[in-house]
Amino acid sequence: MSIKWLFCFAAASLLVSCTAVLDLDPRKQFVVVHAVLINEPRQVIDLCYSSYLSEDHMSPIDHAKVWVEEENPDGTIRRTYAFDSIGDGRYESYFWPEFGTRYNLRVVLDGCPEITASTQYPCAENFVDRASMRRYTYKFETVCIPLYLWVYGQSYNLREDGYFQSLYICETDGFSDPFNEVALLGFEGGQKHWRYLRYEINMSTDSPMVSYDAVRNFTYFELSVFPDFYSWSTASQYAPRVVFESVSEDYDRYLKDVVSLELKLEHEEQNDFTSLYDPNSTYTNVKNAIGIFGASYRKIKEPLIVNE
């Protein structure tokens, strides 16, 4: 949270009443946890204290005992992974999360009750590994039901020599969660959404995109998406690409709150302070602290090459 935002919040709060005495800075801090298990060998957990309202600094926590437990299907503990402090509030351990497995986070910190959280790693990766690339779009199917899927485009920035998140991501199937309602008419009649697409697929989803295959005995989901750009490069190293990210239910709820607020603020007038009066709560599944312990399986698909 920036100093400018804090100043605006304090100013708006003062306008609510000229007679009430407002304690704008109770000098109270919380432990903040950010931990997302990913499909890479190195896992990272960040710990810090929340900032005071009158400040813009979140003090890192470097002397906690942190570990993650991996459960068996019956709830017993199969393995325990200790996390080492590497400074600046960051802890790391090396292991690959297993699909469909539940993990428990535990943090012991002097002067605080034990911090705990639990999440389940997404079930199967084949929703992106089976993806196919067509001339203008990516298309895939999945047997992972339920599925919490986030999709976003990336384009290449020549000045910074790397990819950055693009302004719009398009869908050709017209099936997305209404949380991102900022949409324009896109290529081939599809909808252009600002930065993100989110899909929540379950057995009760009423959509022709979700089908049941009696021969192979599974439910599958098909989707066609592509990044939208003012100009597409024909060079493979600069061409746009799409990120598919399957997340745990906990992380999905957290992302919905964070991204919804981000999208809202990005599309408001800079001098519009009405959002300061709106309650904005962010989901947390962490006990005795705030933050998130989630899981993500992410695939960055190869660039789309436009061949005229």
Side-chain angles (χ1 to χ4, degrees):
M1 185 174 289
S2 68
I3 290 291
K4 179 180 178 182
W5 173 260
L6 291 173
F7 173 78
C8 292
F9 178 82
S13 300
L14 287 172
L15 294 175
V16 175
S17 172
C18 295
T19 58
V21 177
L22 301 178
D23 184 4
L24 295 178
D25 195 350
R27 308 298 293 178
K28 185 176 182 180
Q29 287 183 305
F30 303 92
V31 176
V32 181
V33 177
H34 189 272
V36 180
L37 302 179
I38 59 176
N39 53 312
E40 295 181 8
R42 185 173 74 103
Q43 308 303 321
V44 172
I45 295 174
D46 290 307
L47 299 177
C48 64
Y49 289 109
S50 60
S51 62
Y52 293 121
L53 187 59
S54 58
E55 300 175 358
D56 191 27
H57 174 67
M58 301 177 70
S59 302
I61 300 173
D62 291 327
H63 302 291
K65 182 180 180 182
V66 182
W67 70 96
V68 166
E69 299 170 342
E70 182 180 275
E71 288 190 2
N72 289 308
D74 62 1
T76 58
I77 303 303
R78 179 190 306 162
R79 300 182 185 91
T80 299
Y81 301 99
F83 281 70
D84 298 322
S85 174
I86 61 173
D88 200 27
R90 175 153 293 186
Y91 297 76
E92 66 177 23
S93 185
Y94 288 83
F95 64 93
W96 287 90
E98 297 190 12
F99 296 109
T101 300
R102 178 158 294 278
Y103 290 88
N104 305 314
L105 170 67
R106 296 188 178 277
V107 178
V108 174
L109 183 62
D110 290 342
C112 299
E114 183 178 358
I115 297 169
T116 61
S118 181
T119 194
Q120 183 169 338
Y121 202 79
C123 287
E125 76 277 25
N126 58 0
F127 80 93
V128 286
D129 287 345
R130 294 175 61 173
S132 60
M133 186 177 65
R134 300 189 301 184
R135 182 168 178 263
Y136 288 117
T137 68
Y138 299 86
K139 187 178 182 65
F140 71 87
E141 67 178 28
T142 180
V143 299
C144 308
I145 307 294
L147 170 69
Y148 303 95
L149 175 65
W150 289 76
V151 186
Y152 45 97
Q154 290 183 331
S155 58
Y156 196 84
N157 189 329
L158 290 173
R159 293 181 179 179
E160 298 183 2
D161 192 30
Y163 278 90
F164 70 102
Q165 193 165 316
S166 62
L167 296 181
Y168 286 99
I169 179 74
C170 295
E171 58 179 344
T172 59
D173 298 300
F175 178 61
S176 69
D177 191 285
F179 95 98
N180 186 357
E181 296 178 351
V182 181
L184 304 171
L185 187 63
F187 179 75
E188 291 185 344
Q191 292 295 307
K192 257 192 331 187
H193 293 266
W194 178 254
R195 297 181 61 187
Y196 299 95
L197 280 172
R198 175 191 176 272
Y199 295 87
E200 180 179 339
I201 310 302
N202 53 58
M203 296 296 291
S204 61
T205 300
D206 183 17
S207 170
M209 299 167 60
V210 181
S211 306
Y212 179 73
D213 190 324
V215 176
R216 290 180 287 178
N217 193 31
F218 66 73
T219 301
Y220 65 93
F221 166 62
E222 294 186 358
L223 169 69
S224 294
V225 297
F226 62 96
D228 181 77
F229 303 93
Y230 295 106
S231 63
W232 287 7
S233 172
T234 57
S236 60
Q237 68 267 36
Y238 303 140
R241 61 188 187 181
V242 169
V243 180
F244 296 94
E245 189 166 0
S246 175
V247 301
S248 62
E249 182 178 4
D250 306 287
Y251 193 33
D252 175 71
R253 294 180 64 181
Y254 172 83
L255 286 175
K256 281 187 67 176
D257 289 342
V258 172
V259 172
S260 294
L261 179 59
E262 177 187 1
L263 294 173
K264 176 182 178 182
L265 295 177
E266 286 180 354
H267 285 86
E268 286 183 342
E269 296 292 337
Q270 291 186 359
N271 60 350
D272 182 6
F273 297 107
T274 56
S275 63
L276 295 175
Y277 297 96
D278 298 333
N280 295 305
S281 60
T282 302
Y283 172 80
T284 177
N285 64 341
V286 182
K287 295 181 179 179
N288 298 320
I290 57 176
I292 186 64
F293 176 51
S296 165
Y297 183 89
R298 178 187 304 145
K299 276 289 186 177
I300 302 176
K301 300 307 293 184
E302 62 272 19
L304 285 169
I305 308 300
V306 180
N307 298 315
E308 299 295 343

